[in-house]
Coordinates of all heavy atoms in Angstrom, one line a residue:
M1 N 73.2 145.2 65.0 CA 73.0 146.3 64.2 C 73.6 146.2 62.8 O 74.7 145.7 62.6 CB 73.7 147.5 64.9 CG 73.6 148.9 64.2 SD 74.3 150.2 65.2 CE 74.1 151.5 64.1
N2 N 72.8 146.6 61.8 CA 73.3 146.5 60.4 C 74.6 147.5 60.3 O 74.4 148.7 60.5 CB 72.2 146.9 59.5 CG 72.6 146.8 58.0 OD1 73.8 146.8 57.7 ND2 71.6 146.8 57.2
P3 N 75.7 146.9 59.8 CA 76.9 147.8 59.7 C 76.6 149.0 58.7 O 77.2 150.0 58.8 CB 77.9 146.9 59.1 CG 77.3 145.6 58.9 CD 76.0 145.6 59.5
K4 N 75.7 148.8 57.8 CA 75.3 149.9 56.9 C 74.7 151.1 57.6 O 74.7 152.2 57.1 CB 74.4 149.4 55.9 CG 74.9 148.5 54.8 CD 75.4 149.3 53.7 CE 76.1 148.4 52.7 NZ 76.9 149.2 51.7
E5 N 74.1 150.9 58.8 CA 73.4 151.9 59.6 C 74.5 152.7 60.4 O 74.0 153.7 61.1 CB 72.3 151.4 60.3 CG 71.2 150.9 59.5 CD 70.2 150.1 60.3 OE1 70.2 150.1 61.5 OE2 69.3 149.5 59.7
I6 N 75.7 152.3 60.4 CA 76.7 153.0 61.2 C 76.9 154.5 60.9 O 77.0 154.8 59.7 CB 78.1 152.3 61.2 CG1 77.9 151.0 61.9 CG2 79.1 153.2 61.9 CD1 79.1 150.1 61.8
T7 N 76.8 155.4 61.8 CA 77.1 156.8 61.6 C 78.2 157.1 62.7 O 78.1 156.6 63.8 CB 76.0 157.7 61.8 OG1 75.5 157.6 63.1 CG2 74.9 157.4 60.8
K8 N 79.2 157.9 62.3 CA 80.2 158.2 63.2 C 80.6 159.7 63.2 O 80.5 160.2 62.1 CB 81.6 157.4 63.0 CG 81.3 155.9 63.3 CD 82.7 155.2 63.5 CE 82.4 153.9 64.2 NZ 83.5 153.0 64.0
T9 N 80.9 160.2 64.3 CA 81.4 161.6 64.3 C 82.8 161.7 64.7 O 83.3 160.8 65.5 CB 80.6 162.5 65.3 OG1 80.6 162.0 66.6 CG2 79.1 162.6 64.8
Y10 N 83.5 162.7 64.1 CA 84.9 162.9 64.4 C 85.1 164.4 64.6 O 84.5 165.2 63.9 CB 85.8 162.4 63.2 CG 85.6 161.0 62.9 CD1 84.6 160.6 62.0 CD2 86.4 160.0 63.4 CE1 84.3 159.2 61.7 CE2 86.2 158.6 63.1 CZ 85.2 158.3 62.2 OH 85.0 156.9 61.9
T11 N 86.0 164.7 65.6 CA 86.2 166.2 65.9 C 87.6 166.5 66.2 O 88.4 165.6 66.6 CB 85.2 166.6 67.1 OG1 85.3 168.0 67.2 CG2 85.7 165.9 68.4
N12 N 87.9 167.7 65.9 CA 89.2 168.2 66.3 C 89.1 169.3 67.4 O 90.0 170.1 67.6 CB 90.1 168.7 65.1 CG 89.5 169.9 64.4 OD1 88.5 170.4 64.8 ND2 90.1 170.3 63.3
G13 N 87.9 169.5 67.8 CA 87.6 170.5 68.8 C 87.1 171.8 68.1 O 86.5 172.7 68.8
E14 N 87.4 171.9 66.9 CA 86.9 173.1 66.1 C 85.8 172.7 65.1 O 84.8 173.4 65.1 CB 88.0 173.7 65.2 CG 88.8 174.7 65.9 CD 90.0 175.2 65.0 OE1 89.9 175.0 63.8 OE2 90.8 175.9 65.5
V15 N 86.0 171.6 64.4 CA 85.1 171.1 63.4 C 84.7 169.7 63.8 O 85.6 168.9 64.2 CB 85.8 171.1 62.0 CG1 84.9 170.5 61.0 CG2 86.1 172.5 61.6
T16 N 83.5 169.4 63.6 CA 83.0 168.0 63.8 C 82.3 167.5 62.5 O 81.5 168.3 62.0 CB 82.0 167.9 65.0 OG1 82.6 168.5 66.2 CG2 81.5 166.5 65.3
I17 N 82.8 166.4 62.1 CA 82.2 165.9 60.9 C 81.5 164.5 61.2 O 81.8 163.8 62.1 CB 83.3 165.7 59.8 CG1 84.3 164.6 60.1 CG2 84.0 167.0 59.5 CD1 85.3 164.4 59.0
L18 N 80.5 164.4 60.4 CA 79.6 163.1 60.4 C 79.9 162.3 59.2 O 80.0 162.8 58.1 CB 78.2 163.5 60.5 CG 77.1 162.4 60.4 CD1 77.1 161.6 61.7 CD2 75.7 163.0 60.2
W19 N 80.1 161.0 59.4 CA 80.2 160.0 58.4 C 79.1 159.0 58.4 O 78.9 158.4 59.5 CB 81.6 159.3 58.4 CG 81.7 158.3 57.3 CD1 81.9 158.6 56.0 CD2 81.8 156.9 57.4 NE1 82.0 157.4 55.3 CE2 82.0 156.4 56.2 CE3 81.8 156.0 58.5 CZ2 82.1 155.0 55.9 CZ3 81.9 154.7 58.3 CH2 82.0 154.2 57.1
Q20 N 78.4 158.9 57.3 CA 77.2 157.9 57.3 C 77.6 156.8 56.4 O 77.6 156.9 55.1 CB 76.0 158.7 56.8 CG 75.6 159.8 57.7 CD 74.4 160.6 57.2 OE1 73.2 160.1 57.3 NE2 74.6 161.7 56.7
A21 N 77.9 155.6 57.0 CA 78.3 154.5 56.2 C 77.4 154.1 55.1 O 77.9 153.7 54.0 CB 78.5 153.3 57.1
A22 N 76.1 154.2 55.3 CA 75.1 153.8 54.3 C 75.2 154.6 53.0 O 74.9 154.1 51.9 CB 73.7 153.8 54.8
L23 N 75.6 155.8 53.2 CA 75.7 156.7 52.0 C 77.1 156.6 51.3 O 77.2 157.0 50.1 CB 75.5 158.2 52.4 CG 74.1 158.4 53.0 CD1 74.0 159.9 53.4 CD2 73.0 158.1 52.0
C24 N 78.1 156.1 51.9 CA 79.5 156.2 51.4 C 79.5 155.2 50.2 O 79.2 154.1 50.2 CB 80.4 155.8 52.4 SG 82.1 155.8 51.8
Q25 N 80.0 155.8 49.0 CA 80.2 155.1 47.8 C 81.6 154.5 47.6 O 82.0 153.9 46.6 CB 79.8 156.0 46.6 CG 78.4 156.4 46.6 CD 78.2 157.6 45.6 OE1 79.2 158.3 45.2 NE2 77.0 157.9 45.4
H26 N 82.4 154.8 48.6 CA 83.8 154.3 48.7 C 84.5 154.8 47.4 O 85.3 154.1 46.8 CB 83.9 152.8 48.9 CG 83.2 152.4 50.1 ND1 83.8 152.6 51.4 CD2 82.0 151.9 50.3 CE1 83.0 152.2 52.3 NE2 81.9 151.7 51.7
S27 N 84.2 156.0 46.9 CA 84.8 156.5 45.7 C 86.2 157.0 46.0 O 87.0 157.1 45.0 CB 83.9 157.8 45.3 OG 83.9 158.7 46.3
G28 N 86.6 157.2 47.2 CA 87.9 157.6 47.5 C 88.3 159.0 47.3 O 89.4 159.4 47.4
V29 N 87.3 159.8 47.0 CA 87.6 161.2 46.8 C 88.2 161.9 48.0 O 89.1 162.6 47.9 CB 86.2 162.0 46.5 CG1 86.4 163.5 46.4 CG2 85.7 161.5 45.1
C30 N 87.7 161.6 49.2 CA 88.2 162.1 50.4 C 89.7 161.6 50.6 O 90.5 162.5 51.0 CB 87.4 161.7 51.6 SG 87.1 159.9 51.8
V31 N 89.9 160.4 50.3 CA 91.2 159.8 50.5 C 92.3 160.4 49.5 O 93.4 160.9 49.9 CB 91.2 158.3 50.2 CG1 92.6 157.7 50.4 CG2 90.2 157.6 51.2
K32 N 91.8 160.7 48.3 CA 92.7 161.3 47.3 C 93.0 162.8 47.7 O 94.1 163.3 47.5 CB 92.1 161.3 45.9 CG 92.3 159.9 45.3 CD 91.7 159.9 43.9 CE 91.2 158.5 43.6 NZ 89.8 158.4 43.0
N33 N 92.0 163.4 48.3 CA 92.2 164.9 48.6 C 93.0 165.1 49.9 O 93.8 166.0 49.9 CB 90.8 165.5 48.9 CG 90.2 166.1 47.7 OD1 90.5 167.2 47.3 ND2 89.4 165.4 47.0
L34 N 92.8 164.2 50.8 CA 93.5 164.4 52.1 C 93.8 163.0 52.7 O 93.3 162.6 53.7 CB 92.5 165.2 53.1 CG 93.0 166.3 54.0 CD1 94.0 167.2 53.3 CD2 91.9 167.0 54.6
H35 N 94.9 162.5 52.1 CA 95.2 161.1 52.5 C 95.7 160.9 54.0 O 95.8 159.9 54.5 CB 96.1 160.4 51.6 CG 97.4 161.1 51.3 ND1 98.5 160.9 52.1 CD2 97.8 162.1 50.5 CE1 99.5 161.7 51.7 NE2 99.1 162.4 50.8
N36 N 96.2 162.0 54.5 CA 96.8 162.0 55.9 C 95.6 161.9 56.9 O 95.8 161.5 58.1 CB 97.5 163.3 56.2 CG 98.9 163.2 55.6 OD1 99.4 162.1 55.2 ND2 99.5 164.4 55.4
V37 N 94.4 162.3 56.5 CA 93.3 162.4 57.4 C 92.4 161.1 57.2 O 91.9 160.5 58.1 CB 92.5 163.7 57.2 CG1 91.2 163.6 58.0 CG2 93.3 164.9 57.7
F38 N 92.1 160.9 55.9 CA 91.1 159.8 55.6 C 91.9 158.6 55.2 O 92.5 158.5 54.1 CB 90.2 160.3 54.4 CG 89.3 161.5 54.8 CD1 89.7 162.8 54.5 CD2 88.1 161.3 55.4 CE1 89.0 163.9 54.9 CE2 87.4 162.4 55.8 CZ 87.8 163.7 55.5
K39 N 91.9 157.6 56.1 CA 92.7 156.4 56.0 C 91.8 155.2 56.2 O 91.7 154.7 57.3 CB 93.8 156.5 57.0 CG 94.8 157.6 56.9 CD 95.8 157.5 58.1 CE 96.9 158.5 57.9 NZ 97.9 158.5 58.9
P40 N 91.3 154.6 55.1 CA 90.3 153.5 55.2 C 90.9 152.3 55.9 O 90.1 151.5 56.4 CB 89.9 153.2 53.8 CG 90.3 154.5 53.0 CD 91.4 155.1 53.8
Q41 N 92.2 152.1 55.9 CA 92.8 150.9 56.4 C 93.1 151.0 57.9 O 93.6 150.1 58.5 CB 94.1 150.6 55.7 CG 94.1 150.6 54.1 CD 93.0 149.6 53.6 OE1 92.7 148.6 54.3 NE2 92.5 150.0 52.5
T42 N 92.8 152.1 58.5 CA 93.2 152.3 59.9 C 92.0 152.6 60.8 O 90.9 152.9 60.3 CB 94.2 153.4 60.1 OG1 93.7 154.7 59.7 CG2 95.5 153.3 59.3
Q43 N 92.2 152.5 62.1 CA 91.2 152.8 63.1 C 91.7 153.9 64.0 O 92.7 153.7 64.5 CB 90.9 151.6 63.9 CG 89.8 150.6 63.4 CD 88.4 151.2 63.2 OE1 88.1 152.2 63.9 NE2 87.6 150.7 62.4
P44 N 91.0 155.0 64.2 CA 89.8 155.4 63.5 C 90.2 155.8 62.0 O 91.3 156.2 61.8 CB 89.3 156.6 64.2 CG 90.5 157.2 64.9 CD 91.4 156.0 65.2
W45 N 89.3 155.6 61.1 CA 89.7 155.8 59.7 C 89.8 157.2 59.4 O 90.4 157.6 58.3 CB 88.7 155.0 58.7 CG 87.5 155.7 58.3 CD1 86.3 155.7 59.0 CD2 87.3 156.4 57.1 NE1 85.4 156.4 58.3 CE2 85.9 156.8 57.1 CE3 88.1 156.7 56.0 CZ2 85.4 157.6 56.1 CZ3 87.5 157.5 54.9 CH2 86.2 157.9 55.0
I46 N 89.1 158.1 60.2 CA 89.4 159.6 60.0 C 90.2 160.2 61.1 O 89.8 160.0 62.3 CB 88.0 160.3 59.9 CG1 87.2 159.8 58.7 CG2 88.2 161.8 59.8 CD1 85.8 160.3 58.6
Q47 N 91.3 160.7 60.8 CA 92.3 161.2 61.8 C 92.4 162.7 61.7 O 93.2 163.2 60.9 CB 93.6 160.5 61.7 CG 93.5 159.0 62.0 CD 94.7 158.2 61.8 OE1 95.8 158.8 61.6 NE2 94.5 156.9 61.9
M48 N 91.5 163.4 62.4 CA 91.3 164.8 62.3 C 92.6 165.7 62.5 O 92.8 166.8 62.0 CB 90.2 165.3 63.2 CG 88.9 164.7 62.9 SD 88.0 165.4 61.5 CE 87.4 166.9 62.2
E49 N 93.5 165.1 63.4 CA 94.6 165.9 63.8 C 95.7 166.1 62.8 O 96.7 166.9 62.9 CB 95.3 165.2 65.0 CG 95.9 163.9 64.8 CD 95.0 162.7 64.9 OE1 93.7 162.9 64.7 OE2 95.4 161.6 65.2
H50 N 95.5 165.5 61.6 CA 96.6 165.6 60.6 C 96.4 166.6 59.5 O 97.1 166.6 58.5 CB 96.8 164.2 59.8 CG 97.2 163.1 60.9 ND1 98.3 163.3 61.7 CD2 96.7 161.9 61.2 CE1 98.5 162.3 62.4 NE2 97.6 161.4 62.1
A51 N 95.4 167.4 59.7 CA 95.1 168.6 58.7 C 94.5 169.7 59.4 O 94.0 169.6 60.5 CB 94.4 168.1 57.5
S52 N 94.5 170.8 58.7 CA 93.8 172.0 59.3 C 92.3 171.9 59.2 O 91.8 171.1 58.3 CB 94.3 173.3 58.6 OG 93.8 173.3 57.3
S53 N 91.6 172.6 60.0 CA 90.1 172.6 59.9 C 89.6 173.0 58.5 O 88.7 172.5 57.9 CB 89.5 173.5 60.9 OG 89.8 173.0 62.2
E54 N 90.4 174.0 57.9 CA 90.0 174.5 56.6 C 90.1 173.4 55.5 O 89.2 173.2 54.6 CB 90.9 175.7 56.2 CG 90.5 176.9 57.0 CD 91.2 177.0 58.4 OE1 92.0 176.1 58.7 OE2 90.7 177.7 59.2
E55 N 91.2 172.7 55.6 CA 91.4 171.6 54.6 C 90.4 170.5 54.8 O 89.9 169.9 53.8 CB 92.8 170.9 54.9 CG 94.0 171.8 54.4 CD 95.3 171.2 54.9 OE1 95.5 170.9 56.0 OE2 96.2 171.1 53.9
I56 N 90.0 170.2 56.0 CA 89.0 169.1 56.3 C 87.6 169.6 55.8 O 87.0 168.8 55.0 CB 88.9 168.8 57.8 CG1 90.2 168.1 58.2 CG2 87.7 167.9 58.1 CD1 90.4 168.0 59.7
V57 N 87.3 170.8 56.1 CA 86.0 171.3 55.6 C 85.9 171.3 54.1 O 84.9 170.9 53.4 CB 85.7 172.8 56.1 CG1 84.5 173.4 55.4 CG2 85.5 172.7 57.6
A58 N 87.0 171.7 53.4 CA 87.1 171.7 51.9 C 86.9 170.3 51.4 O 86.3 170.1 50.3 CB 88.4 172.3 51.5
T59 N 87.5 169.3 52.0 CA 87.5 167.9 51.5 C 86.1 167.3 51.8 O 85.5 166.6 50.9 CB 88.5 167.1 52.2 OG1 89.8 167.6 51.9 CG2 88.5 165.6 51.7
V60 N 85.5 167.7 52.9 CA 84.1 167.1 53.2 C 83.2 167.7 52.1 O 82.3 166.9 51.7 CB 83.7 167.6 54.6 CG1 82.2 167.4 54.8 CG2 84.5 166.8 55.7
A61 N 83.4 168.9 51.7 CA 82.5 169.5 50.6 C 82.6 168.8 49.3 O 81.7 168.8 48.5 CB 82.8 171.0 50.4
K62 N 83.7 168.0 49.1 CA 83.9 167.3 47.8 C 83.3 165.9 47.8 O 83.3 165.2 46.8 CB 85.3 167.3 47.5 CG 85.9 168.6 47.1 CD 87.4 168.6 46.9 CE 87.9 170.0 46.6 NZ 89.3 170.1 46.9
C63 N 82.8 165.4 49.0 CA 82.3 164.0 49.0 C 81.0 164.0 48.1 O 80.1 164.7 48.3 CB 81.9 163.8 50.4 SG 81.0 162.2 50.7
P64 N 81.1 163.1 47.1 CA 80.0 163.1 46.1 C 78.7 162.5 46.6 O 77.7 162.8 46.0 CB 80.6 162.2 44.9 CG 81.6 161.4 45.7 CD 82.2 162.2 46.8
S65 N 78.8 161.7 47.6 CA 77.5 161.0 48.1 C 76.8 161.7 49.2 O 75.7 161.3 49.5 CB 78.0 159.7 48.6 OG 78.7 159.8 49.7
G66 N 77.5 162.7 49.9 CA 76.9 163.3 51.1 C 77.1 162.5 52.3 O 76.6 162.7 53.4
A67 N 77.9 161.4 52.2 CA 78.3 160.6 53.4 C 79.0 161.3 54.5 O 78.8 161.1 55.7 CB 79.1 159.3 53.0
L68 N 79.8 162.3 54.0 CA 80.5 163.2 54.9 C 79.8 164.5 55.0 O 79.4 165.0 54.0 CB 82.0 163.5 54.4 CG 82.9 162.3 54.5 CD1 84.3 162.8 53.8 CD2 83.3 162.0 55.9
S69 N 79.6 165.0 56.2 CA 79.0 166.3 56.4 C 79.6 167.0 57.6 O 80.1 166.3 58.5 CB 77.5 166.2 56.4 OG 77.1 165.4 57.5
I70 N 79.4 168.3 57.7 CA 79.9 169.1 58.8 C 78.6 169.1 59.8 O 77.6 169.6 59.4 CB 80.4 170.5 58.4 CG1 81.4 170.4 57.4 CG2 80.7 171.3 59.6 CD1 82.8 169.9 57.8
V71 N 78.9 168.8 61.0 CA 77.8 168.9 62.0 C 78.1 170.1 62.9 O 77.1 170.7 63.5 CB 77.5 167.7 62.8 CG1 76.9 166.6 62.0 CG2 78.8 167.2 63.6
E72 N 79.3 170.5 63.0 CA 79.6 171.7 63.8 C 80.9 172.3 63.4 O 81.9 171.7 63.1 CB 79.8 171.3 65.3 CG 79.8 172.4 66.2 CD 79.8 172.0 67.7 OE1 79.9 170.9 68.0 OE2 79.7 172.9 68.5
N73 N 80.9 173.6 63.2 CA 82.1 174.4 62.8 C 82.2 175.6 63.6 O 81.4 176.6 63.4 CB 81.9 174.7 61.3 CG 83.2 175.1 60.7 OD1 84.2 175.3 61.4 ND2 83.2 175.2 59.4
K74 N 83.0 175.6 64.7 CA 83.1 176.7 65.6 C 83.9 177.9 65.1 O 84.8 177.7 64.4 CB 83.7 176.2 66.9 CG 82.9 175.2 67.6 CD 83.5 174.8 69.0 CE 82.6 173.8 69.6 NZ 83.3 173.2 70.7
Ligands
LIG1 S1 84.5 161.0 49.4 FE1 82.5 160.4 50.5 S2 81.7 158.7 49.4 FE2 83.8 158.9 48.9 S3 84.9 157.4 50.2 FE3 85.0 159.5 51.1 S4 83.2 159.5 52.5 FE4 82.9 157.8 51.0

């Protein structure tokens, strides 16, 4: 599988976000906004438990490429 085609979902039970590798420009906007959650050097690289759902939703909205999106918000 082409690594560019990877899509991953991450959830905290309230909010589920989708990350599409092919769209990510690695601009680091998410990392700068919420560095406790978005950690490109670790696995998994998105750690939902380190911020509130509101903070995560707000940061996803700032992703300039659309690589991050909300798939479910309970
Ligand atoms: S803000 Fe979006 S495009 Fe930028 S690194 Fe994060 S996921 Fe990728």
Side-chain angles (χ1 to χ4, degrees):
M1 183 176 172
N2 183 340
K4 287 268 178 198
E5 290 170 11
I6 289 173
T7 62
K8 290 203 166 160
T9 57
Y10 302 86
T11 187
N12 64 3
E14 271 182 13
V15 171
T16 302
I17 64 178
L18 172 70
W19 178 69
Q20 300 175 77
L23 296 179
C24 181
Q25 298 163 344
H26 304 284
S27 57
V29 172
C30 55
V31 180
K32 280 181 210 134
N33 268 277
L34 217 49
H35 59 86
N36 285 339
V37 171
F38 297 94
K39 298 178 170 181
Q41 309 304 332
T42 64
Q43 270 301 335
W45 87 275
I46 299 177
Q47 299 178 4
M48 300 283 282
E49 65 273 26
H50 296 307
S52 69
S53 296
E54 290 76 18
E55 289 173 306
I56 291 168
V57 169
T59 300
V60 165
K62 290 177 183 158
C63 174
S65 67
L68 288 172
S69 57
I70 303 291
V71 291
E72 191 174 8
N73 197 349
K74 289 183 183 166

